[in-house]
Amino acid sequence: MKLFSEPKRTLVVSSERMPGAILSSLYSAAMMPEPFIPNCIFLHSSYCQNETVRNAKSLPHWNPLCTQLGLNTNNIMFEYIDCKNPDIWVADFLKEQCRNPANHLLWVVDKSYERILPELSQLFSIFSSPGDSLCRLIIDKKYDNHKEFYYPGQRDPLSVDRQRQFSSASVKLENIPFIRLNAATMASGKITNDILSQTGKLLSPQILTIYPDRQNIQVGPHIIKMSPLLFAFYFWMVRLRKRSGNTFTPDAGFISYDDQGRSTEFLNIYRQYCDELSSHYEKTENALASGFPKDYFFEKVSLIKRTFNEVLGDIADAYVIHSIGKRHHTRYGIHLPPHLIQFISGDPDV
């Protein structure tokens, strides 16, 4: 993607919560101790499918916010990240950005995209300029999923009560620490695997290891055991993520429970762990005869999450099944980057 030639103050927003995340990020950036006022905004999201969502300027809240912050709306230029190889794009973007020392970059990631932080922090360590920042967008839980919340104190011509309600909301940017490589290392070009490993230690989750033959799952020193049915279900979801091979595409390996053929995929795996002539298999096969029932799918997702929480505690979130996207377009999968997933024997297709 070709960038502007003049010095830029660029805001990149990685989120599924568009366009609300754009306004929340812009507001939070302007409220920092050293305000960051961008002249270029890039949107990193799979949800941006039309001009209304792509361009926050179309929102009735855009002009009031710019007026409140003293921004010239004509100076803000929008770009939408829509590329087939987003991993490559991110590295190229950062390299291009740092060519001009007058450029400044603020990259904001909200909770829907936190899975990319380990890789993004490594790329920042290698390619970013001293003035660049990587931040997490923090919004009050009460308002985080509110589809009509954009930023504290937003003007709402349709609802005075809602305007008063949102005025008490808290939105802020939390700095993400990363190890910036020194100039000598950069100049020498000696970016080794050891260096990359060190830069990712602050945020990188541990490797997820699946032992198909033993029906065991391992995260660090922890061993997770589940029933054959739940193990087959988790094995199936993890393999979808692993085969996607793509870290920066948010829905790579994610599926909808009612996608055609998904129940057959799962049964093919479950058959390896349960006798086809057993009552357990017959019961499952009958239940999935017309595809995954919604309640059945969600029950398995919930049981797996409970099991991981019991064993892993606070770090379980990186390994459980999550949803992505809005209602009627929701998909499910594992956020863990593919390179942190490994299968030890028993799965020759991976």
Side-chain angles (χ1 to χ4, degrees), residues 252-312:
F254 278 58
I255 63 164
S256 175
Y257 65 86
D258 56 359
D259 285 342
Q260 186 174 4
R262 294 303 184 186
S263 59
T264 301
E265 289 178 10
F266 164 67
L267 285 172
N268 288 339
I269 294 176
Y270 183 43
R271 195 178 297 120
Q272 301 175 35
Y273 301 102
C274 184
D275 186 348
E276 288 185 69
L277 301 179
S278 69
S279 59
H280 293 290
Y281 183 84
E282 183 180 1
K283 180 180 178 181
T284 303
E285 188 177 40
N286 290 336
L288 305 185
S290 299
F292 272 112
K294 180 179 179 180
D295 291 344
Y296 183 96
F297 185 91
F298 289 162
E299 179 191 41
K300 301 304 176 282
V301 170
S302 178
L303 289 172
I304 289 170
K305 182 176 182 179
R306 183 190 306 169
T307 301
F308 272 78
N309 284 335
E310 289 173 354
V311 178
L312 300 181

Side-chain angles (χ1 to χ4, degrees), residues 23 65 87 96 98 137 171 178 213 223 274 299 314 349:
L23 297 181
L65 175 61
D87 299 60
E96 182 70 22
C98 71
L137 178 64
V171 175
F178 59 90
D213 292 342
I223 300 295
C274 184
E299 179 191 41
D314 292 339
D349 296 331

Side-chain angles (χ1 to χ4, degrees), residues 122 126 179 181 185 190-200:
Q122 292 180 10
I126 299 170
I179 303 170
L181 300 182
T185 303
K190 296 178 180 179
I191 309 299
T192 66
N193 289 333
D194 288 341
I195 292 175
L196 288 176
S197 176
Q198 290 300 317
T199 62

Side-chain angles (χ1 to χ4, degrees), residues 17-275:
R17 187 178 163 271
M18 297 292 183
I22 306 168
L23 297 181
S24 295
S25 298
L26 182 61
Y27 175 91
S28 302
M31 294 295 107
M32 291 194 301
E34 295 184 11
F36 185 92
I37 308 299
N39 56 21
C40 181
I41 298 177
F42 280 82
L43 315 181
H44 179 204
S45 175
S46 66
Y47 185 63
C48 299
Q49 301 297 329
N50 57 65
E51 289 303 319
T52 300
V53 177
R54 292 185 185 193
N55 195 343
K57 291 182 180 179
S58 64
L59 289 171
H61 304 83
W62 171 255
N63 285 325
L65 175 61
C66 290
T67 300
Q68 178 182 341
L69 301 180
L71 302 179
N72 184 340
T73 58
N74 295 324
N75 290 341
I76 301 292
M77 304 181 71
F78 279 84
E79 290 286 344
Y80 172 59
I81 300 173
D82 187 9
C83 48
K84 294 182 179 179
N85 297 301
D87 299 60
I88 298 174
W89 185 93
V90 172
D92 289 345
F93 178 90
L94 289 172
K95 285 188 285 186
E96 182 70 22
Q97 177 78 17
C98 71
R99 286 181 182 177
N100 187 342
N103 290 341
H104 290 282
L105 170 66
L106 173 62
W107 196 306
V108 177
V109 179
D110 82 351
K111 70 175 187 178
S112 66
Y113 262 66
E114 287 193 348
R115 58 196 171 279
I116 74 171
L117 283 175
E119 287 68 31
L120 194 55
S121 66
Q122 292 180 10
L123 291 171
F124 258 72
S125 298
I126 299 170
F127 299 116
S128 65
S129 298
D132 297 340
S133 298
L134 175 62
C135 294
R136 180 187 285 110
L137 178 64
I138 306 295
I139 301 176
D140 278 353
K141 291 182 179 180
K142 183 177 179 180
Y143 307 105
D144 196 17
N145 294 318
H146 200 301
K147 64 180 181 180
E148 294 174 333
F149 173 75
Y150 299 104
Y151 58 92
Q154 66 188 51
R155 299 180 185 178
D156 193 330
L158 301 179
S159 174
V160 175
D161 290 339
R162 192 161 57 213
Q163 179 176 322
R164 187 182 302 112
Q165 173 191 6
F166 291 153
S167 65
S168 63
S170 172
V171 175
K172 65 179 180 179
L173 297 181
E174 179 181 87
N175 190 57
I176 302 295
F178 59 90
I179 303 170
R180 195 183 303 281
L181 300 182
N182 60 50
T185 303
M186 291 293 293
S188 68
K190 296 178 180 179
I191 309 299
T192 66
N193 289 333
D194 288 341
I195 292 175
L196 288 176
S197 176
Q198 290 300 317
T199 62
K201 275 187 175 179
L202 290 173
L203 291 168
S204 293
Q206 299 179 73
I207 290 175
L208 172 69
T209 303
I210 307 292
Y211 296 93
D213 292 342
R214 289 186 260 163
Q215 298 182 43
N216 283 344
I217 301 162
Q218 183 172 6
V219 176
H222 305 286
I223 300 295
I224 298 108
K225 295 180 178 293
M226 293 185 285
S227 68
L229 178 63
L230 291 182
F231 178 83
F233 191 93
Y234 188 72
F235 179 100
W236 169 56
M237 297 296 288
V238 170
R239 192 170 67 173
L240 287 168
R241 179 59 171 160
K242 177 68 174 179
R243 286 176 168 175
S244 74
N246 199 327
T247 298
F248 286 91
T249 298
D251 57 354
F254 278 58
I255 63 164
S256 175
Y257 65 86
D258 56 359
D259 285 342
Q260 186 174 4
R262 294 303 184 186
S263 59
T264 301
E265 289 178 10
F266 164 67
L267 285 172
N268 288 339
I269 294 176
Y270 183 43
R271 195 178 297 120
Q272 301 175 35
Y273 301 102
C274 184
D275 186 348

